[in-house]
Amino acid sequence: MNIRPGTVRGSLLGLITLALLVRLVFFGVSVTHLQPSSDESITVLQAREILHGKFPLLFMSQPYLFPLESYLAAPFAGFLPPTAFGARVIPFVLNLLAIVIALRLLTRVFRHRVPWAGLLLVLVPSSYVLILQAAYGLPGYSSLPLFGGLCVLWAVGQRALNGWRAWAMAAATGFVGGLVFTSHMLALPFVVAVGMFVCLGTNRHSALRNTAGFIP
């Protein structure tokens, strides 16, 4: 059975619209009925400290995490309200960007067919994942899917490059991989797998070049 391209585009648009509406509903309910947790509040407080010239290397009360979300929120901390909305809007946006990267990765891997199962898992996941994406901005759980997906996307794209461009992409992937590990140690197995994919290369020369870019 042949499916018309217009039908596919309409189905994709409807699915994306549904996914966005569901996240907006989760976000709206959370900011009107659920007060920020201590971790969410600390993220905003450290973002305001960064805005005023302080550069913490550790997350307050959890001295094994780098406050990556606080640095990402710092440019906006001056005008975000001290409410649940102000605490959750940056993680909400970061998770939306993570979804865009995941969809981009699916289109890179499945070039000649529509990966409906993958699209459904990304756009309409379990309620637990939706809560973390749109209703409860736990530190580390916003940067992990965003920068983790970016690592995979860059690692896949790096294989198509040559010369200094391949080295630069390997270096960028290594930097982002290290950054996401500092914000959440659960990223270690993921970063190791991406590192092996990048550093092994396709031959001895590319393996040495990629390793020299990724490891530092």
Side-chain angles (χ1 to χ4, degrees), residues 33-200:
H33 293 83
L34 184 64
Q35 292 298 316
S37 66
S38 58
D39 285 341
E40 290 176 306
S41 301
I42 289 173
T43 300
V44 178
L45 289 174
Q46 287 196 288
R48 294 184 177 181
E49 289 182 350
I50 294 167
L51 186 64
H52 289 90
K54 295 183 179 181
F55 300 101
L57 295 179
L58 298 174
F59 188 86
M60 190 186 304
S61 78
Q62 297 186 27
Y64 55 90
L65 299 178
F66 178 71
L68 179 57
E69 273 100 349
S70 295
Y71 280 90
L72 295 174
F76 313 98
F79 55 85
L80 287 177
T83 61
F85 176 86
R88 296 191 178 115
V89 65
I90 298 299
F92 177 75
V93 173
L94 294 179
N95 278 292
L96 286 182
L97 293 176
I99 294 169
V100 172
I101 290 175
L103 295 178
R104 174 59 179 160
L105 184 60
L106 282 175
T107 60
R108 289 290 300 271
V109 175
F110 299 90
R111 296 182 178 179
H112 305 295
R113 54 195 175 95
V114 180
W116 289 109
L119 289 171
L120 287 172
L121 287 173
V122 170
L123 294 174
V124 191
S126 67
S127 58
Y128 175 76
V129 175
L130 281 172
I131 289 172
L132 291 177
Q133 288 181 345
Y136 189 32
L138 281 175
Y141 286 85
S142 300
S143 58
L144 182 60
L146 174 60
F147 291 103
L150 195 60
C151 277
V152 176
L153 185 62
W154 284 356
V156 172
Q158 193 266 349
R159 286 293 180 90
L161 301 176
N162 295 305
W164 69 269
R165 291 185 177 85
W167 175 89
M169 185 64 79
T173 304
F175 174 77
V176 173
L179 197 61
V180 71
F181 170 70
T182 63
S183 67
H184 207 302
M185 293 185 181
L186 288 176
L188 180 59
F190 170 82
V191 173
V192 170
V194 170
M196 292 178 63
F197 179 83
V198 172
C199 294
L200 290 179

